[in-house]
Amino acid sequence: MQDILVLYYSQHGAVRQLAHMIAHGIDAVPGAQARIRSVPKVAPTTQIASPAVPDEGAPYVELKDLEECIGLALGSPTRFGNMAAAMKYFWDGTAGLWMKGALAGKPAAVFTSTASMHGGQETTLISMMLPLLHHGMVVMGIPYTEPELTTTLSGGTPYGASHVAGAAADRPITEDERKLAFALGKRLAHAALKLAA
């Protein structure tokens, strides 16, 4: 089995749910399995370092997770049309991998959740692609061969999987959003296995 990293940051749970749907898509492809990881919150003043394993949810990512996996699905909620600070902080610390070219040629996909329909889903997805491109990763999205991409009334873009959570973060993930996240995971797994062969 080859591992594909599903790395996310989630504050209210929607991005975490999308991460697990993408992981189900990865696990549906023979020979691939999802490795789910998250990043800790950041604060202006750090008093105590975050433990390697949080009280609940996925373990925190380590750089070796990126090196060991054959592909990456990266998720973050939107913060003013950009990825959350916690995720940006993590990527800012990956220069050592960049210098070695450790991620070059590996496929990657992105996913997000916003409070509103026009809350910056596509710009957030694109902002998450930028460090991946600098690392030499092969960035992939969702093609229009997935019928839900043209029928969705909420999340789902050709740039990656997404969800509209609502201002109170209480909207459930729709069936279209769920299918697109699953499809993205499968697509990523198929590409990763081919590129790793």
Side-chain angles (χ1 to χ4, degrees):
M1 296 291 279
Q2 299 263 36
D3 280 9
I4 296 172
L5 181 61
V6 180
L7 175 59
Y8 72 92
Y9 175 73
S10 186
Q11 192 159 357
H12 299 293
V15 175
R16 178 180 50 78
Q17 290 179 53
L18 284 175
H20 284 277
M21 290 168 196
I22 290 169
H24 290 315
I26 292 167
D27 292 339
V29 176
Q33 65 183 6
R35 181 188 300 191
I36 302 175
R37 297 291 185 267
S38 65
V39 297
K41 290 182 178 181
V42 294
T45 304
T46 302
Q47 296 175 348
I48 300 172
S50 295
V53 180
D55 293 336
E56 59 181 37
Y60 292 134
V61 68
E62 298 177 18
L63 294 179
K64 70 177 184 176
D65 290 312
L66 286 168
E67 287 190 277
E68 293 171 355
C69 291
I70 63 168
L72 168 70
L74 179 66
S76 171
T78 294
R79 294 294 181 265
F80 299 107
N82 205 331
M83 73 178 97
M87 188 58 75
K88 177 73 166 61
Y89 181 81
F90 170 75
W91 282 101
D92 286 349
T94 61
L97 296 178
W98 173 76
M99 290 177 73
K100 293 191 298 187
L103 305 182
K106 294 182 181 184
V110 291
F111 57 101
T112 192
S113 177
T114 57
S116 66
M117 183 70 94
H118 302 290
Q121 286 194 1
E122 292 180 344
T123 57
T124 299
L125 294 170
I126 292 169
S127 78
M128 286 191 292
M129 292 177 186
L130 299 179
L132 308 182
L133 291 167
H134 277 263
H135 274 282
M137 299 192 86
V138 179
V139 178
M140 55 193 321
I142 301 173
Y144 278 93
T145 52
E146 297 297 333
E148 294 79 18
L149 205 56
T150 55
T151 61
T152 182
L153 298 175
S154 53
T157 80
Y159 306 108
S162 63
H163 167 61
V164 179
D170 58 355
R171 288 187 192 164
I173 292 177
T174 69
E175 190 59 26
D176 283 344
E177 292 170 340
R178 183 182 317 279
K179 287 179 179 178
L180 289 168
F182 184 85
L184 183 61
K186 281 184 69 174
R187 188 164 195 260
L188 176 61
H190 282 297
L193 289 169
K194 286 177 183 176
L195 289 170

